Amino acid sequence: MGFMEDFIKKNRITEVECLVPDMSGIARGKIVPAEKFLRILRDRGLRLPEAIFVQTVTGEYPEDDAVTSDENSDIYMIPDERTIRFVPWYEEPTAQVITDCVYADGSPVNFSPRHVLKRVLSLYEERGWKPMVAPELEFFLVQVNKDPDYPLVPPVGRNGRVESGRQAFGIDAVNEFDPIFEMVYDFCEAQDIDIDTLTHEAGAAQIEINFNHGDALELADQAFLFKRTAREAALRHQVYATFMAKPMQNEPGSAMHIHQSVVDADSGRNLFSDANGADTPLFMSHIAGLQKYLPYAMPLLAPNVNSYRRLVPNSDAPINVHWGRDNRTTGLRVPVSPADSRRVENRVAGADANPYLAIAASLACGYLGMAQGLEPTDPVKGSAYRLAFTLPRHQGDALQKFNACKPLKEVLGEKFLDAVTCVKEAEYEAYHRVISSWERENLLLNV
C-alpha cells in the first residue's frame, strides 16, 4: 500500500487502470481516479463479478457454467504493488496495476489465470526449486481490417509498398516499420518491460520479440502487458498488431516459445546441468514430463479454434513433442548453451495463448516429469516432421484430452479445468455457428 501510494503521489498520477487478466488473456478491470483508488484500497472496495473469469473471447458467458456461483457474487481486486507502472500512451499521468482476485473471506479465486500460475510455482517452491523462463512472442503487423470477411494483408512500409516476400531476419525489412518499433521500445522502457532482441520472422511483416529470462510470474506479467503495448503502438501508426496464431493462410503462424530452466532456490545453481556441464537426470525428467503431458495441456497452449491452423508440417511449428538438440522441427528444442544456462524451449504454444496459462501449463508438465522421475525418448536427429503427428488436431479433441488427465487436474486444480472447459466449449460452439467464406465459395453451387 505504501509503495503504491508513494508512486502515485510522486508521479502525480491522476487515474489508475486496475487490470485483471481473464481466461483469454484479455485485460479486464476498472479505471478509477487516483484519489479514489487510494481511498478504496483501505477498505478493499474494488470489486468485479465472479463471472469475469468465464467470459468468452466473444464477450459472452457459457450457458452451462457450473463453476461460478448462481448469484454471480462479487470478488475483490487486490493490487499487486510490484506491478504498478506508468501507462505511457496517455497524456494525463496514468498508472496501471495488475490485480489478484479473492472472495469475501480472503480465499483466492482459484480458477483465475494468475492464481493458477502461482499455484504451479508454489509446487516448485516446496521442493526448493525456482523456474526461470524467457518467452519469445511472435506477431504480425497488418493493414487495418474493418470487415472481418476480407483476408488480412501486410501493411505498407516506408518504401510505399506492401511486403510481399518473406524476409526472415531481414534488417531493412524491420526498418520499414521502424517508427512503430521505436515507439514499442519507448513504451516498454517506460513500463519496465524487459524486452531484448527484435527480429523479422519468416512471415510478411511478422516480428519476434524476445524477453530476457527471469522469474516466471514477472515474465508472464510482462508478456501480458506487452501485447497491449504492441497493439497500442501499432494503432498509433494506423496499423494492427495481431497475436492470432494463424492470421493469414499463406503465411506461417505466430508462436510463443517458452525457454525454461529450473535453479536451486537458495544458491541459484542451474539444476539442469551438473558440475561437469552434462545434462542432469532432473533435466531429462523435465523434458519427459513435457513430452508426456503437453498433449493433454493443449487448451492452455493452443486455446482457440484458429490455434490449430498453425500446427502443420513444415511450417516452423511442431506437430509432435519429440525433442532434439538445436532442432527447430521438434516441439521441444534444447539450444546449444553453457552449463549455467541449460534450458529447454517449448515451441508448442501459440502467440494467442494467455501468457499466465501457457507458462503455468509448460512448467506444470515439466514439474510432473521431475516429480515422477520420467525418462524421455531419444533425441531426434533430422526432421521431426517425418514422424507421426501426435498433438491434437482441433479444439474439441484437445478439450477431451485435457479433462482426461488426472495429474494435470491435481496440479492445476479441478475447478480451473472445469472453468477452461466451459469457456472453450462455449467458444467452440459459437465458432461452429458461423458459415465461412470457404464453404460459400466451394459448396454454394457445387453440391
Side-chain angles (χ1 to χ4, degrees), residues 17 20 30 40 49-50 65 68 90 100 121 130 198 224 240 274 278 286 293 327-328 341 376 378 381 413 421 430:
E17 294 183 339
V20 177
K30 293 185 175 182
I40 59 182
E50 183 186 21
D65 171 20
T68 61
Y90 296 135
D100 292 309
L121 295 179
K130 180 178 175 60
L198 180 149
F224 165 66
Y240 287 161
D274 62 20
H286 192 90
Y293 291 109
N327 189 335
R328 287 183 169 83
S341 58
D378 292 333
K381 295 181 179 179
T421 301

Side-chain angles (χ1 to χ4, degrees), residues 27-310:
R28 309 285 182 187
K30 293 185 175 182
I31 304 173
V32 296
E35 289 185 5
K36 183 178 180 181
F37 173 78
L38 293 174
R39 187 171 66 251
I40 59 182
L41 274 182
R42 297 184 179 94
D43 60 2
R44 203 171 64 173
L46 278 173
R47 305 181 190 184
L48 286 173
E50 183 186 21
I52 194 77
F53 291 113
V54 294
Q55 190 172 3
T56 68
V57 74
T58 62
E60 298 173 349
Y61 298 91
E63 291 183 4
D64 58 347
D65 171 20
V67 179
T68 61
S69 63
D70 292 338
E71 300 83 5
N72 190 16
S73 55
D74 278 341
I75 53 178
Y76 297 83
M77 303 165 66
I78 308 299
D80 183 340
E81 68 174 17
R82 297 169 299 177
T83 68
I84 193 164
R85 293 168 162 88
F86 282 107
V87 186
W89 47 82
Y90 296 135
E91 290 185 8
E92 288 291 320
T94 303
Q96 60 188 331
V97 64
I98 299 172
T99 67
D100 292 309
C101 292
V102 301
Y103 293 106
D105 63 1
S107 61
V109 179
N110 57 8
F111 53 95
S112 65
R114 201 165 187 262
H115 171 78
V116 171
L117 177 53
K118 286 184 173 183
R119 176 182 174 127
V120 173
L121 295 179
S122 70
L123 296 175
Y124 279 83
E125 186 178 0
E126 288 171 4
R127 292 178 179 258
W129 300 334
K130 180 178 175 60
M132 303 293 285
V133 303
E136 299 173 349
L137 260 177
E138 297 172 342
F139 61 97
F140 277 89
L141 298 177
V142 299
Q143 291 184 30
V144 171
N145 179 274
K146 296 181 180 179
D147 188 336
D149 273 342
Y150 284 88
L152 299 173
V153 294
V156 175
R158 291 189 309 165
N159 63 14
R161 303 179 69 182
V162 171
E163 185 178 313
S164 56
R166 296 184 177 179
Q167 300 291 336
F169 301 101
I171 299 299
D172 291 336
V174 170
N175 288 336
E176 284 296 308
F177 308 104
D178 190 57
I180 296 176
F181 300 129
E182 287 292 335
M183 183 172 285
V184 168
Y185 272 109
D186 289 344
F187 283 170
C188 286
E189 184 177 0
Q191 297 172 88
D192 294 322
I193 298 176
D194 192 15
I195 58 174
D196 184 19
T197 310
L198 180 149
T199 56
H200 195 297
E201 269 297 330
Q206 186 186 29
I207 305 300
E208 179 182 89
I209 287 282
N210 297 343
F211 293 79
N212 288 311
H213 76 281
D215 176 81
L217 181 61
E218 184 177 333
L219 266 296
D221 286 339
Q222 291 188 32
F224 165 66
L225 296 174
F226 176 80
K227 286 188 173 185
R228 290 188 78 208
T229 300
R231 284 191 286 259
E232 180 66 29
L235 279 174
R236 287 174 177 264
H237 292 84
Q238 292 75 55
V239 170
Y240 287 161
T242 178
F243 293 87
M244 280 181 66
K246 184 77 169 180
M248 291 182 274
Q249 65 182 35
N250 295 320
E251 299 293 340
S254 290
M256 177 166 52
H257 298 151
I258 303 170
H259 292 252
Q260 57 197 69
S261 59
V262 179
V263 302
D264 181 85
D266 294 327
S267 68
R269 179 176 59 86
N270 191 331
L271 299 176
F272 285 174
S273 59
D274 62 20
N276 298 317
D279 296 334
T280 62
L282 205 63
F283 185 35
M284 291 295 101
S285 291
H286 192 90
I287 291 173
L290 290 166
Q291 286 191 301
K292 181 173 182 177
Y293 291 109
L294 278 181
Y296 294 94
M298 286 298 284
L300 309 183
L301 304 166
N304 304 300
V305 287
N306 176 260
S307 307
Y308 297 86
R309 298 185 186 277
R310 169 182 157 261

